[in-house]
Amino acid sequence: SYNNMAYTYRMMEQFDKALPYHRKAIDVSTRLLGAENIYTGIYLSKMAESYFGKRDFSSALEIIQEV
């Protein structure tokens, strides 16, 4: 799944490679489950973690404020 690919890249600290997979997981979850679904929120949080790993704190904060 997209989330598993994002997780794998995040664990390898390849955050730039993880981010597109996070976005795809969020898009699919939003389309199938809705923006308010808990899984959509979890995927957003994981994307924020990747931004945090990149030290892109403003993007991480922006995403966390969505959750």
Side-chain angles (χ1 to χ4, degrees):
S1 75
Y2 293 130
N3 187 54
N4 290 338
M5 290 296 295
Y7 173 79
T8 300
Y9 281 123
R10 193 163 40 87
M11 292 298 101
M12 295 187 312
E13 297 184 0
Q14 294 182 11
F15 304 111
D16 287 328
K17 289 183 179 180
L19 289 169
Y21 288 103
H22 286 302
R23 176 51 53 201
K24 288 177 183 180
I26 292 163
D27 290 346
V28 169
S29 182
T30 300
R31 188 176 73 246
L32 296 178
L33 304 173
E36 300 298 319
N37 186 275
I38 191 163
Y39 288 107
T40 305
I42 290 169
Y43 299 153
L44 282 165
S45 295
K46 297 302 181 185
M47 187 175 196
E49 288 179 23
S50 286
Y51 278 115
F52 189 84
K54 286 181 51 162
R55 303 186 66 76
D56 183 350
F57 303 120
S58 61
S59 294
L61 180 61
E62 187 176 313
I63 290 170
I64 290 299
Q65 289 173 336
E66 284 183 49
V67 176

